[in-house]
């Protein structure tokens, strides 16, 4: 789900940048650091605006100055039970991998309806019922997130298409 | 799943009450039974007013760490549990057999969560990684077995096997030198033909400074056909030590439609090991249906599934850019000069080093070029030195840095360009002086041939003449054929399986039992492989650097793998001597003296056998055939024409006394080698004769026969023979036990009248002590030179041809002495010297030709 969220970030600045354009450096660094980053639980899509840049504070011992920046950003946070659209990246015999934005989701065989069978026709592996439904590389699927685990900088999720209205999207 | 009591309980415990009965549901951390235990407790005693220890009884609950239905309870009320014990069987709703990034893929629960009651982590349930592109997906053993079974059924149904393909130097070669792009753009460039179909791609977040390195990829000739054909017989997998991004890009080049490999790409990122490849990573259960092709055997620990292929070396001296993580490739034999057989041309053993010494050979080259040659051209030597330093403690970071450094170095130094420049510089010289022309020819031959499209003087460095894939393809098809022949035989043999197969509906359902009885590909390969060089006993000479243990070399390992036996010295069982074309070593002479029984061939013969998986005809690979006539034992049925030239009367007349001596010496050697066969008549040998087992064989090949029709040299001096023989016999009595006929050493006392010569001989015949060998060879080299000078003094053109041939041999002998010192400087010096000789010869030839 997408949110607009106010976040804070502390940026150290090297003394060689102590000049009138210090703020520019801070902003550039903020965008570079944060946009597209994964905090573990959420993904920062875009920074909307910067609300406040604090007065810099020199850190004793290093000479660097620290700025506290508060900003608003669009973040995406997946939830257990949420239904999302995903792009299939890889099909293996035990299931398939899909990307939901920056999050990797694995849909295991037990979460795939039994009528979709694993086949290796013409060396391109896919789950198909030999009718209208085929899950192969680059196909779009709608999945329900069954579980999420966060690590620093990465999110793993388990998905399911074993439900009505889930599975490959008809293009 | 069994539920165990945890290690932390205060054993012994006594069960007091069962809370759950079989059939009940149980949650995580729900109590299963209650128990009591006793433990000492410190209490304050009112009467004595101090703390005392007292045994107290406590009650507690035993809680389940897993949820599910209780199937069986293995404890009774009143039972005393003294140690860790299985107390219940619990049927779980999910066994967590497939896990993705710490999550169970089937129920979505977090597997990394640990609770106070946890005895074994849930992540331990699935530890096998059997998917190509992902390290985060793990499965349990049972699941892996299931997947493997399924895969086998699929392969058997389509009558295929699995083929694991390596990329670098097996089906492609990559380099990062920008020169290639420049050559590609310039149709005038002599290398244009060779590089015009080189593909390129850029990896942005790779290479030094993360600034996007362009990679130039040359596919091995015929790779498209090869893969296309193989895809019919095999399911193809890529297994490479390169990065993921690199592997994907290569896959795009060799398989643009992603039809052949699909997603079956395994790269360094997912391998788990930086220095070795393991089939268990892809085929955790068994490898009965797997074949590997790779140019390196060591990274696979010489797996029986491996079909080792010769390394593809198109960009000369570049090697494998992704190999900095691997153990260093053994130099010397791997890089082959050329697949064509050219025994009369002096070849360098390492094509990587081929140019600099050769270029330096040109006497008229500007000093600047000479001084720069060893530095610029020979980057690989530097690498080897760096790698040697790094080999032992190889932290990954250091290796990663090394790779970066190598790439940077290659981009900066442009070894290819340098070599091409040197080539061109040399040919410039050739235009000016006709004498140097020969040097250029030589250079060109070292750099693998001439460009037909360019003018005579425009030589190209790179050549696209590799055709190994055809042979590899044939081998792989043969393996496949034999495998399924075996399989068909097996399935008709087991009747039940056959019948059930014929029954409709059961067709696809092969029993598990049948799957276990499928033929074993490694065994089949082993069967073919061990026949290839069965009965062949190899001795290597002049192809491996001195001081290295031949048995530790890749090439020896490879040959042994094919059923050949490798020994250090020539013995009575030796059948082949693998020699270097430009060095006539003592072993070569020794072998030549043994007669036809031993074939002296160059390394390409061995490579041909190993790639074609059959014993190929030695004839085109024979070298040093002239050695037989130069040595004393001229062979009656030697086929080569050169021998005629050498044994012309002028040549023999030119021989000095010194030379006679040398020959005499070689006679001795001869005599010694076959002593047991011939010495029956002389009184000395009889005692020792008993030891030897193959008198017959020796008699058959012994020099007594050769002597009858030996070269004219010997017949002319026939009157001396009686004397010589006598002298020989004198010596032999004390000396012969050192001969390498592998007879048991007897304790013959060495007589006091041992001549200095025999002592020297002893040295030579000794344990293959190379340093000593060298000394002797050096001497001989100088003799040969002397002979050459004398021969040069004669004026018939016939002699000239003859001498120049013998000359070549002499020169290389002289050079050898230096080369073997293992040092670059000496290498260079020797090459220079040799080339100088050659140059002067050529001039002399020229002069003489113009005379008549």
């Amino acid at each position: 789900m997408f949110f607009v969220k106010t976040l804070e970030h502390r940026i150290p600045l090297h003394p060689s940048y102590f000049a009138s354009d210090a703020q520019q450096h801070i902003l550039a660094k903020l965008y570079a650091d944060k946009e597209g980053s994964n905090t573990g639980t959420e993904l920062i899509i875009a920074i909307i605006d910067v609300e406040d840049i604090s007065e810099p504070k020199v850190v004793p011992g290093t000479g660097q100055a620290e700025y506290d920046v508060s900003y608003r950003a669009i973040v995406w946070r997946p939830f257990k039970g949420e239904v999302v659209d995903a792009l299939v990246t890889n099909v293996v015999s035990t299931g398939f991998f899909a990307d939901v934005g920056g999050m990797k989701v694995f849909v295991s065989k037990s979460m795939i309806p039994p009528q979709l069978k694993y086949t290796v026709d013409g060396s391109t592996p896919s789950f198909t019922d030999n009718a209208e439904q085929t899950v192969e590389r680059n196909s779009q699927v709608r999945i329900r997130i069954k579980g999420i685990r966060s690590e620093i900088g990465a999110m793993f999720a388990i998905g399911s298409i074993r439900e009505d209205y889930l599975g490959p999207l008809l293009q | 799943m069994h539920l165990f009591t945890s290690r932390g309980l205060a054993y012994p415990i006594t069960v007091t009450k069962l809370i759950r009965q079989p059939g009940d549901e149980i949650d995580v951390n729900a109590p299963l039974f209650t128990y009591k235990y006793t433990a000492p407790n410190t209490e304050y005693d009112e009467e004595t007013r101090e703390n005392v220890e007292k045994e107290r009884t406590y009650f507690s609950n035993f809680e389940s760490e897993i949820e599910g239905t209780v199937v069986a309870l293995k404890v009774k009320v009143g039972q005393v549990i003294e140690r860790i014990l299985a107390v219940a069987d619990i049927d779980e709703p999910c066994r967590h057999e497939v896990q993705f990034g710490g999550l169970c893929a089937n129920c979505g629960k977090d597997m990394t969560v640990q609770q106070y009651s946890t005895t074994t982590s849930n992540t331990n349930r699935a530890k096998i990684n059997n998917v190509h592109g992902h390290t985060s997906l793990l499965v349990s053993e049972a699941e892996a077995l299931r997947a493997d079974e399924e895969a086998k059924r699929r392969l058997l149904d389509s009558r295929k096997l699995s083929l694991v393909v390596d990329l670098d130097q097996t089906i492609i070669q990559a380099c990062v030198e920008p020169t290639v792009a420049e050559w590609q753009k310039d149709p005038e460039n002599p290398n244009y033909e060779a590089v015009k179909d080189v593909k390129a791609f850029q990896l942005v977040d790779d290479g030094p400074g993360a600034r996007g390195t362009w990679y130039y990829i040359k596919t091995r000739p015929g790779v498209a056909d090869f893969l296309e054909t193989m895809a019919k017989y095999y399911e193809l997998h890529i297994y490479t030590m390169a990065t993921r991004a690199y592997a994907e890009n290569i896959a795009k080049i060799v398989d643009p439609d992603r039809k052949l490999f699909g997603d079956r790409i395994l790269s360094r990122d997912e391998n788990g090991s930086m220095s070795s490849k393991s089939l268990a990573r892809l085929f955790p259960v068994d490898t009965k249906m797997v074949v590997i092709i790779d140019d390196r055997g060591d990274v696979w620990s010489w797996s029986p599934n491996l079909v080792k292929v010769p390394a593809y070396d198109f960009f000369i001296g570049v090697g494998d850019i992704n190999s900095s993580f691997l153990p260093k490739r053994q130099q010397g034999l791997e890089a082959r000069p050329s697949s064509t057989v050219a025994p009369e041309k002096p070849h360098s053993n390492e094509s990587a080093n081929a140019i600099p010494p050769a270029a330096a050979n040109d006497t008229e080259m500007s000093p600047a070029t000479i001084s720069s040659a060893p530095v610029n051209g020979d980057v690989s030597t530097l690498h080897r030195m760096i790698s040697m330093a790094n080999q032992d403690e190889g932290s990954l970071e250091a290796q990663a840095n090394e790779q970066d450094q190598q790439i940077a170095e290659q981009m900066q130094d442009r070894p290819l360009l340098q070599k091409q420049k040197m080539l061109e510089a040399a040919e410039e010289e050739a235009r000016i002086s006709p004498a140097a022309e020969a040097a250029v020819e030589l250079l060109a031959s070292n750099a693998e041939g001439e460009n037909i499209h360019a003018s005579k003087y425009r030589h190209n460095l790179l050549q696209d003449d590799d055709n190994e894939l055809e042979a590899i393809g044939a081998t792989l098809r043969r393996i496949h054929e034999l495998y399924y022949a075996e399989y068909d035989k097996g399935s008709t043999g087991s009747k039940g399986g056959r019948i059930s197969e014929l029954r409709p509906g059961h067709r696809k359902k092969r029993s598990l039992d049948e799957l276990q009885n499928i033929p074993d590909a490694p065994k089949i390969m082993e069967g073919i492989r061990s026949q290839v060089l069965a009965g062949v006993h190899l001795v290597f000479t002049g192809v491996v650097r001195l001081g290295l243990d031949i048995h530790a070399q890749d090439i020896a390992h490879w040959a042994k793998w094919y059923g050949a036996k490798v020994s250090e010295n020539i013995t009575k069982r030796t059948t082949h001597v693998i020699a270097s074309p430009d060095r006539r070593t003592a072993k070569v002479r020794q072998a030549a003296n043994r007669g036809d029984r031993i074939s002296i061939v160059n390394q390409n013969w061995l490579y041909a056998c190993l790639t074609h998986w059959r014993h190929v005809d030695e004839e085109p690979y024979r070298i040093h055939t002239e050695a037989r006539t130069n040595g004393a034992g001229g062979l009656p049925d030697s086929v080569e024409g050169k021998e005629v030239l050498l044994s012309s009367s002028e040549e023999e007349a030119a021989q000095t006394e010194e030379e006679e001596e040398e020959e005499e010496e070689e006679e001795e050697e001869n005599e010694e080698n076959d002593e047991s066969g011939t010495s029956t008549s002389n009184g000395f040998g009889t005692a020792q004769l008993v030891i030897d087992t193959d008198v017959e064989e020796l008699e058959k090949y012994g020099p007594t026969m050769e002597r009858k029709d030996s070269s004219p040299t010997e017949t002319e001096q026939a009157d001396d023979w009686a004397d010589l023989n006598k002298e020989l016999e004198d010596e032999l009595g004390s000396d012969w036990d050192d001969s390498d006929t592998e007879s048991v050493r007897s304790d013959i006392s060495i007589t006091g009248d041992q001549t200095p010569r025999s002592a020297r001989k002893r040295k030579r015949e000794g344990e293959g002590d190379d340093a000593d060998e060298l000394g002797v060879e050096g001497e001989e080299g100088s003799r040969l030179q002397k002979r050459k000078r004398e021969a040069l003094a004669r004026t018939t053109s016939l002699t000239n041809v003859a001498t120049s041939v013998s000359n070549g041999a002499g020169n290389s002998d002289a050079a050898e002495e230096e080369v073997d010192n293992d040092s670059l400087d000496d290498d260079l010096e020797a090459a220079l010297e040799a080339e100088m000789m050659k140059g002067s010869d050529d001039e002399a030839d020229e002069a003489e030709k113009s005379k008549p």
Side-chain angles (χ1 to χ4, degrees):
Chain A
M1 215 179 285
F2 296 95
F3 299 90
V4 173
K5 196 180 176 192
T6 305
L7 295 158
E8 286 210 344
H9 183 39
R10 177 170 290 177
I11 303 168
L13 190 72
H14 194 265
S16 58
Y17 296 106
F18 291 173
S20 56
D21 61 346
Q23 295 236 332
Q24 256 86 50
H25 279 292
I26 290 297
L27 286 180
K29 201 130 190 279
L30 173 73
Y31 280 90
D33 280 1
K34 286 292 161 185
E35 267 190 340
S37 73
N38 189 338
T39 63
T41 51
E42 60 207 11
L43 200 70
I44 298 174
I45 309 291
I47 293 170
I48 305 169
D49 52 15
V50 177
E51 289 181 335
D52 180 46
I53 301 178
S54 73
E55 285 298 311
K57 216 190 274 173
V58 174
V59 184
T62 64
Q64 297 201 337
E66 276 184 350
Y67 290 79
D68 284 324
V69 185
S70 77
Y71 59 98
R72 287 197 309 149
I74 301 175
V75 299
W76 177 73
R77 177 170 177 177
F79 290 92
K80 189 175 169 179
E82 190 182 349
V83 173
V84 291
D85 286 355
L87 189 70
V88 176
T89 54
N90 199 351
V91 178
V92 296
S93 61
T94 45
F96 65 85
F97 295 89
D99 277 350
V100 184
M103 183 176 68
K104 269 206 174 310
V105 183
F106 179 68
V107 179
S108 91
K109 221 167 159 181
S110 60
M111 301 275 191
I112 297 170
Q115 64 267 26
L116 293 187
K117 289 261 172 356
Y118 179 68
T119 44
V120 203
D121 266 347
S123 282
T124 47
S126 64
F127 283 93
T128 178
D129 60 356
N130 289 319
E132 53 188 8
Q133 290 200 320
T134 303
V135 178
E136 56 188 2
R137 189 188 158 87
N138 287 334
S139 61
Q140 287 192 3
V141 288
R142 184 158 291 165
I143 59 179
R144 185 185 293 281
I145 296 171
K146 294 295 245 182
I148 296 177
R149 203 174 77 83
S150 305
E151 278 174 13
I152 294 171
M155 286 189 275
F156 299 103
I158 297 298
S160 165
I161 57 168
R162 200 168 187 166
E163 247 176 87
D164 287 347
Y165 308 111
L166 297 183
L169 301 177
L170 303 175
Q171 271 117 1
Chain B
M1 185 181 160
H2 297 306
L3 186 62
F4 291 91
T5 56
S6 79
R7 203 186 317 157
L9 295 184
Y11 297 107
I13 59 172
T14 313
V15 179
T16 53
K17 187 184 164 195
L18 298 177
I19 295 172
R20 291 292 199 288
Q21 297 298 325
D24 288 356
E25 297 285 325
I26 191 165
D27 280 340
V28 179
N29 296 340
L32 185 69
F33 59 84
T34 58
Y35 61 89
K36 64 175 182 186
Y37 64 96
T38 55
N41 193 26
T42 315
E43 284 170 12
Y44 181 72
D45 190 356
E46 288 289 337
E47 284 176 19
T48 57
R49 292 174 184 269
E50 59 187 22
N51 286 341
V52 284
E53 295 261 307
K54 276 192 180 171
E55 286 281 312
R56 291 279 173 186
T57 303
Y58 299 94
F59 293 87
S60 183
N61 287 338
F62 178 82
E63 289 163 357
S64 167
E65 58 169 310
I66 42 180
E67 63 172 348
T69 313
V70 179
V71 177
L73 213 54
K74 292 176 177 174
V75 285
K76 293 191 287 282
V77 174
Q79 185 178 347
V80 179
I81 300 169
E82 309 230 355
R83 58 182 177 277
I84 296 173
L85 187 78
V87 289
D89 281 346
I90 291 179
D91 187 22
E92 298 166 276
C94 177
R95 290 172 188 276
H96 314 308
E97 290 200 292
V98 182
Q99 298 182 2
F100 171 67
L103 287 166
C104 171
N106 295 329
C107 64
K109 284 210 176 89
D110 192 340
M111 295 289 105
T112 55
V113 173
Q114 301 255 342
Q115 280 173 325
Y116 66 91
S117 57
T118 308
T119 51
T120 52
S121 171
N122 275 327
T123 48
N124 286 339
R125 296 186 184 202
K127 290 205 280 197
I128 298 172
N129 188 355
N130 67 348
V131 188
H132 287 83
H134 301 270
T135 42
S136 45
L137 187 69
L138 300 167
V139 299
S140 68
E141 269 173 55
E143 185 64 34
L145 204 65
R146 251 195 310 272
D148 179 73
E149 217 175 280
E150 211 169 278
K152 273 192 190 139
R153 287 218 175 86
R154 202 178 60 238
L155 286 176
L156 288 173
D157 282 340
S158 52
R159 290 184 82 81
K160 282 183 180 179
L161 296 172
S162 294
L163 180 66
V164 176
V165 180
D166 171 56
L167 293 180
D168 282 300
Q169 293 210 270
T170 301
I171 60 171
I172 55 130
Q173 196 189 12
C175 86
V176 294
E177 198 180 317
T179 316
V180 177
E182 287 158 22
W183 286 351
Q184 253 180 316
K185 282 183 208 127
D186 174 20
E188 293 298 304
N189 192 287
N191 292 302
Y192 176 74
E193 275 302 312
V195 299
K196 71 178 177 199
D197 54 348
V198 167
K199 308 248 185 8
F201 59 83
Q202 191 177 26
L203 291 185
V204 177
D205 50 352
D206 205 26
R211 58 182 149 82
T213 310
W214 278 94
Y215 288 80
Y216 301 95
I217 307 299
K218 177 78 182 76
T219 54
R220 204 166 195 162
V223 80
D225 286 346
F226 171 77
L227 293 176
E228 200 73 48
T229 326
M230 282 309 116
K232 288 182 205 149
Y233 303 99
Y234 290 89
E235 194 176 83
L236 303 176
H237 304 251
I238 288 177
Y239 194 149
T240 176
M241 281 312 211
T243 58
R244 182 89 203 159
Y246 175 87
E248 297 268 359
N249 274 296
I250 302 287
K252 245 180 247 166
I253 288 170
V254 295
D255 176 24
D257 311 328
R258 295 186 75 99
K259 270 190 166 166
L260 305 170
F261 292 106
D263 290 329
R264 293 183 297 271
I265 301 170
L266 183 76
S267 65
R268 173 166 92 199
D269 300 351
E270 300 98 32
N271 185 31
S273 161
M274 284 293 195
S275 59
S276 67
K277 298 180 178 179
S278 163
L279 267 190
R281 169 65 183 80
L282 283 180
F283 305 93
V285 179
D286 75 25
T287 56
K288 279 183 179 173
M289 297 183 73
V290 189
V291 180
I292 312 163
I293 56 170
D294 202 322
D295 63 311
R296 305 239 341 209
D298 51 350
V299 292
W300 288 104
S301 329
W302 297 95
S303 154
N305 302 64
L306 175 69
V307 175
K308 189 179 180 307
V309 304
Y312 179 46
D313 207 8
F314 173 76
F315 301 115
I316 294 156
V318 169
D320 181 355
I321 60 164
N322 288 306
S323 66
S324 58
F325 291 98
L326 302 179
K328 295 300 158 194
R329 180 188 288 277
Q330 286 167 350
Q331 296 288 331
L333 276 162
E334 275 303 321
R336 248 185 325 167
S338 159
S339 55
T340 56
V341 191
E344 69 280 350
K345 282 176 191 158
H347 268 272
S348 173
N349 282 335
E350 296 173 28
S351 54
N353 288 343
I355 308 302
N361 283 344
D362 195 332
T363 46
E364 287 164 89
M365 206 160 232
S366 68
T369 326
I370 288 179
S371 63
S372 70
V375 186
N376 284 341
D378 208 352
V379 185
S380 59
T381 315
L382 186 67
H383 282 171
R384 235 173 296 145
M385 274 151 68
I386 294 169
S387 66
M388 265 180 239
N390 281 353
Q391 213 151 21
D392 294 329
E393 35 80 50
S395 75
L396 284 183
E397 207 173 328
Q399 283 176 328
N401 286 341
E402 194 195 325
Q403 188 180 13
D404 280 0
Q405 196 189 329
Q406 268 181 25
I407 286 176
E409 216 171 292
Q410 203 187 106
M411 292 198 316
Q412 215 167 33
D413 293 356
R414 301 192 170 199
L416 285 179
L417 187 65
Q418 301 297 345
K419 281 174 192 165
Q420 177 72 21
K421 269 185 188 158
M422 252 179 273
L423 206 70
E424 274 163 19
E427 86 199 12
E428 275 310 308
E429 293 297 328
R431 252 185 268 238
I432 303 159
S433 97
E437 199 170 332
V440 177
E441 292 292 346
L442 184 119
L443 212 59
S445 69
N446 268 338
E448 308 192 3
E450 257 177 275
N451 195 343
I452 321 134
H453 303 276
S455 77
K456 193 195 168 196
Y457 286 112
R458 293 281 281 173
H459 294 300
N460 58 342
L461 181 67
L462 302 177
Q463 261 230 326
D464 197 10
D465 60 351
D466 183 286
N467 54 5
E468 304 289 355
L469 280 178
E470 279 173 40
I472 300 161
T475 307
L476 290 175
R477 278 203 300 278
R478 195 162 130 210
I479 293 168
H480 177 270
E481 200 177 295
L482 281 171
Y483 186 91
Y484 275 100
E486 185 98 340
Y487 173 72
D488 290 341
K489 213 162 65 189
S491 58
T492 41
S494 65
K495 217 177 169 189
R498 187 71 187 154
I499 287 170
S500 65
E501 226 180 327
L502 289 174
R503 216 175 286 152
H506 288 272
R507 225 195 170 89
K508 296 268 155 126
K509 289 268 175 256
R510 290 183 180 83
S511 65
L512 185 65
D513 191 42
E514 199 183 335
L515 276 179
Q516 271 161 358
N517 288 333
I518 56 168
D520 200 0
K523 271 198 195 123
I524 289 171
M525 290 161 70
E526 177 86 56
I528 311 172
R529 202 162 47 213
S530 59
Q531 293 305 309
V532 173
L533 291 179
V536 171
H537 290 253
L538 296 173
V539 170
F540 290 89
T541 176
V543 286
V544 176
R545 271 195 290 168
L546 294 179
L548 293 178
D549 179 17
I550 179 69
H551 295 287
Q553 296 297 310
D554 252 12
I555 184 70
H557 203 122
W558 199 5
K560 279 190 240 171
W561 216 33
Y562 283 77
K565 299 262 189 328
V566 177
S567 48
E568 273 155 38
N569 294 313
I570 289 170
T571 69
K572 59 179 185 274
R573 285 195 289 272
T574 304
T575 56
H576 291 79
V577 171
I578 309 294
S580 156
D582 52 344
R583 289 164 57 179
R584 199 159 64 84
T585 60
K587 281 180 196 165
V588 169
R589 273 186 294 254
Q590 212 180 336
N593 288 334
R594 294 293 185 102
D596 254 5
R597 190 163 57 97
I598 300 179
S599 317
I600 306 168
V601 289
N602 62 11
Q603 347 170 1
N604 292 333
W605 173 76
L606 190 56
Y607 281 112
C609 288
L610 300 183
T611 45
H612 291 88
W613 284 51
R614 61 185 169 80
H615 192 121
V616 297
D617 186 22
E618 291 94 348
E619 215 44 68
Y621 300 96
R622 277 190 205 280
I623 50 171
H624 296 307
T625 39
E626 79 277 11
R628 300 181 179 193
T629 39
N630 269 359
L635 293 175
D637 45 358
S638 183
V639 268
E640 295 291 319
K642 259 165 248 129
E643 166 192 61
V644 182
L645 291 176
L646 276 174
S647 55
S648 68
S649 56
E650 283 91 349
E651 168 79 5
E652 122 211 351
Q655 284 179 329
T656 60
E657 277 185 324
E658 221 176 354
E659 235 173 68
E660 279 168 38
E661 204 175 281
E662 179 198 340
E663 277 196 348
E664 185 184 283
E665 211 175 286
E666 272 174 12
E667 277 308 313
E668 273 170 45
E669 218 175 298
N670 244 345
E671 198 78 13
E672 271 182 6
N673 292 342
D674 306 277
E675 172 90 42
S676 37
T678 50
S679 63
T680 26
S681 53
N682 79 42
F684 299 93
T686 37
Q688 293 88 2
L689 228 186
V690 194
I691 310 153
D692 238 306
T693 46
D694 56 350
V695 181
E696 260 184 40
E697 196 189 345
L698 280 165
E699 258 168 4
K700 194 167 152 200
Y701 296 107
T704 34
M705 279 164 65
E706 290 165 21
R707 182 83 40 87
K708 282 174 204 156
D709 37 18
S710 52
S711 72
T713 318
E714 285 143 18
T715 42
E716 196 183 59
Q717 293 151 350
D719 15 2
D720 295 329
W721 280 123
D723 291 352
L724 281 175
N725 278 341
K726 205 173 167 214
E727 198 182 324
L728 270 175
E729 277 165 4
D730 284 344
E731 283 174 22
L732 291 176
S734 61
D735 210 10
W736 82 280
D737 60 319
D738 257 350
S739 76
D740 51 359
T741 42
E742 274 197 2
S743 49
V744 182
R745 298 219 166 173
S746 52
D747 303 312
I748 305 164
S749 61
I750 292 160
T751 48
D753 58 0
Q754 201 180 352
T755 61
R757 192 196 292 149
S758 72
R760 195 175 58 202
K761 258 216 73 44
R762 179 176 288 271
K763 261 193 199 167
R764 186 202 292 197
E765 291 285 305
E767 304 295 321
D769 188 340
D770 289 314
D772 287 341
E773 220 171 271
L774 276 181
V776 177
E777 269 160 30
E779 254 173 82
E780 279 166 11
S782 62
R783 272 190 220 125
L784 278 165
Q785 279 165 34
K786 194 166 175 187
R787 183 204 289 187
K788 183 202 91 189
R789 277 197 296 278
E790 269 156 349
L792 265 178
R794 318 202 149 255
T795 44
T796 39
S797 53
L798 182 62
T799 338
N800 278 325
V801 182
T803 43
S804 64
V805 173
S806 69
N807 227 338
N811 278 343
S812 53
D813 259 4
E816 181 183 1
E817 176 191 358
E818 311 253 350
V819 170
D820 286 339
N821 281 338
D822 265 5
S823 116
L824 250 182
D825 284 3
D826 283 295
D827 232 333
L828 188 67
E829 213 173 84
L832 263 171
E833 194 180 74
E835 200 42 50
M836 209 131 52
M837 292 289 196
K838 181 133 184 103
S840 61
D841 277 357
D842 287 341
E843 275 170 348
D845 278 355
E846 212 87 20
E848 270 163 14
K849 264 175 207 159
S850 58
K851 239 190 225 169

